[in-house]
Amino acid sequence: MKLGRFADGAETSPGSELDADKAVAASMSVGDRCRIEKPTRYGKIMFIGETQFKAGCLWVGIKLDLPLGKNDGSVGGVSYFECSDMYGVFQRPKAVTVGDFPEEDDGLGDDEEL
């Protein structure tokens, strides 16, 4: 017996996956505050669309509040949005929650003494 994505009839065409992503992303806009999980991180949506690094899928580009990302908004030499290195990350729409989340801070205020 096959389970999950291996079960008979569980195959999804790339088009249906893209359609599902578009339905979820329809409630998102560039500039929205968002949260992603595993680990929990907060940021601002900077890009929503298809990419060259994985065709047939929709991606959400996020500028994180803290340097917990993987890139600077570019992947494979293609720039999708701009941010400092390690502040950018791409997630599938279903992994992104839009909301009125406060900005995270690193705990080091501008006027704190070392």
Side-chain angles (χ1 to χ4, degrees):
M1 174 200 277
K2 297 178 183 178
L3 299 174
R5 64 184 176 133
F6 302 107
D8 294 331
E11 297 84 20
T12 58
S13 68
S16 65
E17 189 173 355
L18 182 58
D19 290 341
D21 285 347
K22 285 181 179 179
V24 173
S27 64
M28 300 176 186
S29 298
V30 170
D32 285 347
R33 291 285 303 156
C34 65
R35 176 184 68 214
I36 54 177
E37 302 293 338
K38 299 180 184 173
T40 300
R41 294 168 285 171
Y42 297 91
K44 180 166 68 169
I45 296 175
M46 302 294 287
F47 170 87
I48 303 170
E50 294 185 60
T51 64
Q52 291 182 15
F53 60 82
K54 184 155 185 202
C57 298
L58 204 65
W59 291 90
V60 179
I62 301 165
K63 176 184 175 185
L64 299 173
D65 294 340
L66 300 174
L68 302 171
K70 295 183 175 185
N71 57 56
D72 63 357
S74 61
V75 176
V78 178
S79 181
Y80 297 96
F81 64 94
E82 292 183 14
C83 66
S84 298
D85 194 31
M86 301 305 291
Y87 279 82
V89 67
F90 287 87
Q91 294 284 316
R92 299 295 296 279
K94 62 186 171 193
V96 179
T97 303
V98 171
D100 188 21
F101 301 109
E103 282 193 41
E104 285 190 295
D105 100 27
D106 58 11
L108 300 175
D110 291 337
D111 57 349
E112 289 185 23
E113 292 184 28
L114 296 178

